[in-house]
Amino acid sequence: EQLEELANEAVSHAEERKQLTEKEKESIEAAYEEFQKAEENMTEVEGAKKEAEAVSEAMNKRYDAYQSLYETYTSALEEDIKLYQSLTQEDLTSDELQKQIDETNEKYAEVQEHRKTFNTHTEKYNEAKKLFYEAAGFEVSATPETDESKEEEK
């Protein structure tokens, strides 16, 4: 009875992670759409065409990497749910349980690989963006300005 309660709680947490993942995906999609709108103007910046193309390529690879990460992570969450639900089955054999654990672990190993790829592409995008800003002569601060920092400057 206690195991069933804990398994149901775990399923609930997995469902929450799915919802958070959906919100994150919406944010990534919105940012990518904004990037695509700006992309055309970037290649028109005097003296920074090559750098703009590098930013575009890096962003597209990052976006594709995120899509793979999202798909794999969503699948891993489904494996989590299957695992937790299987714990409530009275006729569950140790072999069936081990098989589900192995499948879940395999998915999370894939998630790790996709996360590394995404992080690598994010670093490359950030570097390409920095080079573009430099080539275009844009001055960009490393930290975003807050209302407080603007007040301090006055």
Side-chain angles (χ1 to χ4, degrees):
E1 198 172 293
Q2 186 180 6
L3 179 61
E4 187 171 336
E5 189 177 309
L6 291 172
N8 289 335
E9 191 176 315
V11 168
S12 177
H13 289 300
E15 294 290 346
E16 285 177 35
R17 291 192 326 238
K18 281 174 66 173
Q19 290 175 352
L20 291 172
T21 301
E22 286 303 316
K23 285 184 180 179
E24 176 188 65
K25 183 173 179 24
E26 289 171 13
S27 177
I28 293 280
E29 294 290 341
Y32 187 67
E33 284 178 30
E34 289 301 314
F35 174 81
Q36 288 179 313
K37 290 176 188 175
E39 188 173 24
E40 189 175 308
N41 295 328
M42 287 173 36
T43 58
E44 296 174 9
V45 174
E46 189 75 27
K49 184 176 175 102
K50 181 180 77 170
E51 289 83 357
E53 289 169 354
V55 169
S56 180
E57 181 180 338
M59 174 54 109
N60 289 326
K61 286 182 178 180
R62 179 181 184 266
Y63 178 77
D64 291 343
Y66 176 78
Q67 295 303 321
S68 296
L69 173 58
Y70 168 80
E71 292 299 325
T72 306
Y73 184 65
T74 301
S75 181
L77 288 173
E78 290 299 325
E79 291 300 323
D80 273 348
I81 291 169
K82 284 183 198 174
L83 174 62
Y84 303 143
Q85 288 173 337
S86 72
L87 294 173
T88 64
Q89 298 171 358
E90 290 182 26
D91 60 345
L92 179 69
T93 67
S94 60
D95 286 344
E96 290 169 333
L97 178 59
Q98 189 59 53
K99 182 178 183 228
Q100 188 58 50
I101 290 170
D102 292 344
E103 288 175 10
T104 302
N105 287 341
E106 284 176 28
K107 274 295 171 194
Y108 277 103
E110 289 178 40
V111 167
Q112 241 351 59
E113 289 304 312
H114 287 289
R115 184 177 289 125
K116 285 179 190 174
T117 301
F118 174 72
N119 288 342
T120 298
H121 286 299
T122 298
E123 290 170 10
K124 289 179 180 180
Y125 167 72
N126 288 336
E127 183 60 29
K129 187 171 59 171
K130 179 181 168 193
L131 294 173
F132 169 72
Y133 290 160
E134 289 172 3
F138 297 154
E139 288 188 36
V140 181
S141 64
T143 56
E145 287 188 25
T146 63
D147 289 338
E148 290 172 10
S149 65
K150 289 178 186 173
E151 290 296 320
E152 290 172 9
E153 290 176 7
K154 292 180 183 177

